[in-house]
Amino acid sequence: GQNIDQPTEMTATEGAIVQINCTYQTSGFNGLFWYQQHAGEAPTFLSYNVLDGLEEKGRFSSFLSRSKGYSYLLLKELQMKDSASYLCAVLDSNYQLIWGAGTKLIIKP
Amino acid sequence: DAMVIQNPRYQVTQFGKPVTLSCSQTLNHNVMYWYQQKSSQAPKLLFHYYDKDFNNEADTPDNFQSRRPNTSFCFLDIRSPGLGDAAMYLCATSRQEQETQYFGPGTRLLVL
């Protein structure tokens, strides 16, 4: 079966750095997406990785290792507004997006 | 601004009373998706359209139907809502199936 694993919940301090990990086992691989979802709202696109390595976009960076079936989302200089769920999703060989359940990130002052 | 719009944002219906949720897009994307998301769970794909081609997920109940009358609009019909159908319903679009999906704000459905 296809599976995406990410921690259920993480807590971090305002101004700090946090890394949210995602591991996957899917039927084929056509890219990995990270989405941010605030409570009661729709997911918003953060990043896309299809090749190994680090993609940086402002305070957010995303890393991919295809051989290890592993990705992480790195958030720097955390702000209170970063409190949200972060969903990892993998596009499989049929171009279907396989979703993780999300990591709820709690930012404390 | 190009966007994905969902109406209404909140919908209350009665057990067994048909309800229709709507989605429109100004992105001119080929693909439109309907997802169901329950609290603290991953979005669950119900079906999607590539242009006019309808693709139903194997485990989507028959109670859920969809229509896409043109490129811009897509509808989700729930024929006989049950209490278990209370959820957030998300519409998303992408230019091609392998490309990034962009979501509308969602419709939260409450079944009484």
Side-chain angles (χ1 to χ4, degrees), chain B residues 32-109:
Chain B
M32 295 187 77
Y33 307 80
W34 279 105
Y35 287 91
Q36 179 194 66
Q37 187 180 27
K38 297 186 177 181
S39 182
S40 301
Q41 295 184 19
K44 179 182 182 300
L45 182 64
L46 297 173
F47 22 61
H48 76 279
Y49 278 92
Y50 184 96
D51 196 14
K52 295 181 180 180
D53 292 333
F54 178 69
N55 297 273
N56 195 33
E57 293 303 300
D59 57 354
T60 299
D62 291 341
N63 196 27
F64 292 87
Q65 303 286 320
S66 185
R67 296 168 284 136
R68 188 179 185 185
N70 54 53
T71 302
S72 301
F73 285 88
C74 195
F75 299 97
L76 170 62
D77 300 307
I78 308 176
R79 294 193 293 190
S80 182
L83 298 179
D85 297 328
M88 173 78 91
Y89 289 88
L90 297 164
C91 174
T93 74
S94 64
R95 191 169 52 176
Q96 300 293 335
E97 288 176 320
Q98 66 269 35
E99 297 187 23
T100 302
Q101 294 183 24
Y102 296 94
F103 286 83
T107 295
R108 183 166 293 282
L109 179 69

Side-chain angles (χ1 to χ4, degrees), chain A:
Chain A
Q2 309 205 82
N3 196 48
I4 308 280
D5 285 315
Q6 48 181 134
T8 303
E9 187 174 297
M10 299 181 70
T11 302
T13 304
E14 190 177 15
I17 299 172
V18 71
Q19 178 175 311
I20 302 174
N21 295 324
C22 170
T23 57
Y24 62 89
Q25 300 93 37
T26 56
S27 303
F29 179 84
N30 279 299
L32 185 144
F33 297 83
W34 284 97
Y35 284 82
Q36 179 191 61
Q37 187 174 26
H38 285 100
E41 298 182 10
T44 56
F45 169 71
L46 289 178
S47 67
Y48 170 68
N49 294 70
V50 67
L51 300 176
D52 290 350
L54 188 69
E55 294 278 343
E56 296 187 77
K57 196 184 289 186
R59 293 190 299 115
F60 293 6
S61 303
S62 56
F63 172 83
L64 174 67
S65 169
R66 288 172 296 171
S67 63
K68 295 181 179 177
Y70 168 70
S71 172
Y72 67 74
L73 181 69
L74 191 72
L75 291 77
K76 302 176 185 176
E77 302 169 15
L78 285 170
Q79 302 175 10
M80 298 303 292
K81 67 179 182 179
D82 298 330
S83 292
S85 287
Y86 292 85
L87 295 102
C88 173
V90 172
L91 201 61
D92 72 7
S93 56
N94 294 319
Y95 297 130
Q96 180 160 346
L97 206 53
I98 310 301
W99 292 84
T103 298
K104 183 178 181 180
L105 178 63
I106 299 168
I107 309 297
K108 295 185 174 180

